[in-house]
Amino acid sequence: MRILIAFSVSLFSSVMLAQSPEQDEIQFQSAVDWLGSKLNYVYYDDVGEKWWSNTFYVNDNREITIKHIASDKPNTANIRSKTYTIRTFRIQDINPKSLKITEVAKTKGRLVKGKMLELRTYGFQDLIHKTINNRRGSSTSFLFLSFPEVLNDSISNYAEIVKQKFEQAILASTKVYPSNTASDSKTIFNILEGNFKSDEGHLWNAQKVKPDVLKIDQGTGNIEYFGFDQDQQQFYLLDINSDGVQTQFYVMNNQDILSLSSTEETVFTFYTLHSFSFKGTRFFRQ
């Protein structure tokens, strides 16, 4: 297998969340700049006898474009006989917990022997749009990136570093900051709606039943509703169980961190558009 690529990079060993929108922008730009330079490479499939060119681009709306070109020669600029596939997606739609690296033992088309990075959208929604030679293809919920053996040998843990850079870009682009306005209430409802799971296996499944009311299923058998009481101007969690109906009211804190508190403690804390904590348990959108 042959590969053409140049390297000049300062690597980070961990993915960090910034503490302000300005710092998040720096983290995001740093990650996509790195991806933009290191996901531009050419490699050879010695089974199908094709050269593959891989390019990465991000626009001002944080939409990612990844192009794969297959041809008989490594330089595709003046070659008419070539096939190119373009995939576009919003970085915010990729689930960072879906990123997974696997070993590829046998070359099969674009996915050559080496390592492969898998990316998937939240809820397996078909939000990765595909175009083949200017013809629209089927949208998918997944994307695979191929890292040939020679590429992985050139920099230690290359595929893992790419994974970390994607995680950094995703988290920096979805971090939540309070605006200290009424829109914070809408943000809270948008975050809490959907299917979530903690690392310990706890569930939070929320379905909108009214504009300001979510029906909650935590897998306990209880009927719960989360909503906003317009009269009292407070959030509430209503729990219907065998002991009757219990209602807990919460006050919104939207100065430095967006959260909801009872009279005694902080109960909800909102971190990103896709993660929050409830009573100390961190939940992640699935």
Side-chain angles (χ1 to χ4, degrees), residues 5-271:
I5 189 166
F7 296 97
S8 175
V9 62
S10 174
L11 302 178
F12 295 91
S13 61
S14 62
V15 176
M16 300 295 292
L17 275 177
Q19 300 300 313
S20 71
E22 294 77 18
Q23 289 176 316
D24 280 337
E25 179 61 30
I26 293 172
Q27 294 250 349
F28 174 81
Q29 201 58 52
S30 171
V32 296
D33 284 349
W34 191 95
L35 291 169
S37 63
K38 298 303 173 281
L39 286 183
N40 289 288
Y41 54 87
V42 179
Y43 60 95
Y44 186 67
D45 162 21
D46 51 13
V47 176
E49 298 183 338
K50 290 284 186 182
W51 286 92
W52 287 93
S53 173
N54 188 92
T55 58
F56 174 99
Y57 171 76
V58 59
N59 66 17
D60 292 338
N61 295 322
R62 298 187 173 182
E63 294 173 332
I64 304 296
T65 297
I66 295 179
K67 181 188 291 186
H68 306 291
I69 302 177
S71 62
D72 295 330
K73 296 181 180 180
N75 187 348
T76 62
N78 298 312
I79 298 177
R80 292 186 178 180
S81 179
K82 59 186 177 183
T83 301
Y84 56 90
T85 303
I86 300 174
R87 291 175 172 87
T88 59
F89 55 92
R90 297 194 319 154
I91 190 71
Q92 300 96 320
D93 293 329
I94 301 299
N95 185 348
K97 282 189 165 288
S98 76
L99 303 186
K100 181 174 64 175
I101 296 172
T102 56
E103 297 285 342
V104 178
K106 186 177 180 180
T107 295
K108 186 176 181 180
R110 181 175 64 82
L111 303 177
V112 298
K113 185 177 180 180
K115 293 184 179 181
M116 179 186 74
L117 175 62
E118 176 182 344
L119 301 87
R120 292 190 179 272
T121 61
Y122 287 102
F124 300 100
Q125 300 179 77
D126 292 334
L127 299 176
I128 299 175
H129 309 297
K130 182 168 61 176
T131 302
I132 304 175
N133 286 1
N134 288 327
R135 297 190 304 272
R136 180 176 296 179
S138 300
S139 297
T140 65
S141 63
F142 58 87
L143 171 65
F144 302 126
L145 296 178
S146 182
F147 300 95
E149 285 183 317
V150 176
L151 178 60
N152 287 295
D153 290 342
S154 60
I155 288 185
S156 179
N157 298 322
Y158 188 89
E160 180 62 34
I161 297 167
V162 172
K163 176 176 177 287
Q164 290 177 2
K165 293 299 180 180
F166 266 109
E167 290 171 341
Q168 180 180 325
I170 293 167
L171 295 174
S173 64
T174 58
K175 187 80 176 291
V176 170
Y177 293 95
S179 65
N180 201 23
T181 67
S183 65
D184 287 335
S185 295
K186 183 178 180 180
T187 297
I188 288 173
F189 277 100
N190 289 340
I191 294 173
L192 291 178
E193 185 179 0
N195 299 321
F196 295 79
K197 190 175 182 179
S198 73
D199 288 338
E200 299 76 25
H202 301 296
L203 302 177
W204 175 284
N205 300 319
Q207 180 181 5
K208 182 185 292 185
V209 292
K210 291 182 179 181
D212 289 335
V213 179
L214 300 174
K215 185 177 182 180
I216 309 299
D217 179 6
Q218 296 191 65
T220 61
N222 293 353
I223 299 175
E224 294 179 291
Y225 290 93
F226 176 89
F228 185 76
D229 189 314
Q230 294 290 347
D231 294 332
Q232 298 196 39
Q233 289 293 296
Q234 286 184 318
F235 292 88
Y236 65 85
L237 184 63
L238 187 149
D239 186 351
I240 304 174
N241 53 51
S242 58
D243 295 328
V245 179
Q246 299 175 337
T247 304
Q248 178 67 58
F249 287 96
Y250 306 110
V251 176
M252 179 170 62
N253 306 305
N254 57 352
Q255 296 299 315
D256 299 321
I257 299 175
L258 188 59
S259 63
L260 298 178
S261 301
S262 66
T263 55
E264 300 177 352
E265 60 181 352
T266 298
V267 179
F268 288 90
T269 302
F270 304 95
Y271 302 104

